[in-house]
């Protein structure tokens, strides 16, 4: 789960990210932008599919067709919906790019303290979130990583928090 080299740890001890860590963070940010761009195209496809289905249903029957064209405000609904949905999609792309930029300029932080473990289960979705608590800082994980650390031992975690993302970059066990 934690893939860092001795060079990464040395750079983190100096309060810096290593070059490979910087590149990895930029790659994660670019991946988020690509994924969001793909999602936008899917949303646009579903939007036009839905509009075509609605128009097909409206144009099927002469009485409904007459009702659609009887009031000009009925015709304004479709362009307004397209503009609103397009605005939401553009904002989602901008947010993804903002997060990618924050990841590219991430600042390294550290947490020092004794390790504690906790977990939280959602009753409805049966998803379990695992926590590693280092001093007063709580880190979330999707998998149980309690085997990687000894509870009660003192560790220093080096991490980056940028936007929605928080990544543990490296860690070291501290002597008592």
């Amino acid at each position: 789960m934690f893939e860092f080299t001795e060079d990464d740890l040395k750079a983190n001890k100096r309060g810096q990210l290593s070059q490979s860590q910087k590149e990895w963070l930029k790659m994660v940010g670019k991946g988020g932008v690509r994924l969001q761009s793909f999602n936008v195209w899917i949303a646009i496809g579903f939007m036009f599919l839905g509009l075509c289905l609605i128009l097909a249903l409206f144009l099927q029957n002469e009485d409904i067709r007459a009702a659609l064209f009887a009031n000009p405000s009925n015709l304004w609904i479709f362009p307004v919906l397209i503009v609103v949905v397009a605005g939401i999609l553009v904002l989602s792309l901008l947010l993804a790019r903002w997060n990618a930029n924050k990841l590219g300029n991430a600042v390294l932080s550290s947490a020092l303290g004794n390790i504690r473990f906790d977990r939280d289960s959602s009753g409805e979705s049966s998803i379990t979130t695992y926590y590693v608590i280092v001093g007063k800082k709580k880190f979330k994980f999707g998998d149980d990583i309690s085997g990687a650390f000894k509870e009660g031992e003192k560790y220093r975690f080096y991490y980056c928090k940028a936007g929605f993302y928080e990544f543990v970059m490296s860690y070291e066990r501290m002597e008592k």
Side-chain angles (χ1 to χ4, degrees):
M1 167 160 281
F2 299 103
E3 297 179 14
F4 61 92
T5 65
E6 195 62 37
D7 291 335
D8 294 336
L9 182 59
K10 286 178 186 176
N12 294 164
K13 285 181 180 181
R14 292 189 310 266
Q16 301 171 343
L17 291 167
S18 70
Q19 190 60 35
S20 63
Q21 288 174 327
K22 289 177 185 177
E23 290 171 9
W24 182 79
L25 287 170
K26 286 180 184 178
M27 184 181 67
V28 169
K30 287 179 183 178
V33 171
R34 277 194 309 271
L35 178 64
Q36 189 59 32
S37 298
F38 180 72
N39 289 341
V40 163
W41 284 111
I42 290 174
I44 288 171
F46 276 111
M47 180 179 67
F48 281 114
L49 176 67
L51 284 173
C52 290
L53 288 174
I54 290 170
L55 283 174
L57 290 173
F58 266 116
L59 298 176
Q60 244 181 4
N61 184 325
E62 189 175 323
D63 293 334
I64 296 174
R65 205 171 25 244
L68 175 65
F69 294 111
N71 190 349
S73 66
N74 290 345
L75 296 177
W76 283 102
I77 291 173
F78 296 115
V80 167
L81 281 175
I82 289 172
V83 169
V84 167
V85 170
I88 291 170
L89 294 176
V90 167
L91 285 176
S92 72
L93 278 174
L94 290 174
L95 183 62
R97 290 184 194 279
W98 177 76
N99 273 322
N101 287 338
K102 286 196 68 105
L103 274 175
N105 300 315
V107 176
L108 186 69
S109 300
S110 68
L112 175 67
N114 293 334
I115 294 281
R116 293 188 337 247
F117 299 111
D118 195 9
R119 73 171 143 205
D120 186 28
S121 296
S122 170
E124 294 176 9
S125 65
S126 70
I127 294 176
T128 302
T129 303
Y130 298 92
Y131 297 98
V132 175
I133 304 162
V134 182
K136 295 181 181 180
K137 178 71 178 144
K138 188 184 266 191
F139 296 96
K140 287 184 191 181
F141 296 94
D143 298 321
D144 184 10
I145 61 165
S146 59
F149 308 103
K150 291 185 180 180
E151 191 162 13
E153 295 281 324
K154 193 173 191 177
Y155 283 83
R156 181 182 305 271
F157 275 40
Y158 299 96
Y159 66 96
C160 288
K161 177 150 179 61
F164 295 129
Y165 301 105
E166 184 173 64
F167 296 110
V168 174
M169 304 309 290
S170 64
Y171 64 87
E172 62 181 328
R173 185 171 168 244
M174 307 302 288
E175 298 298 321
K176 291 187 179 191

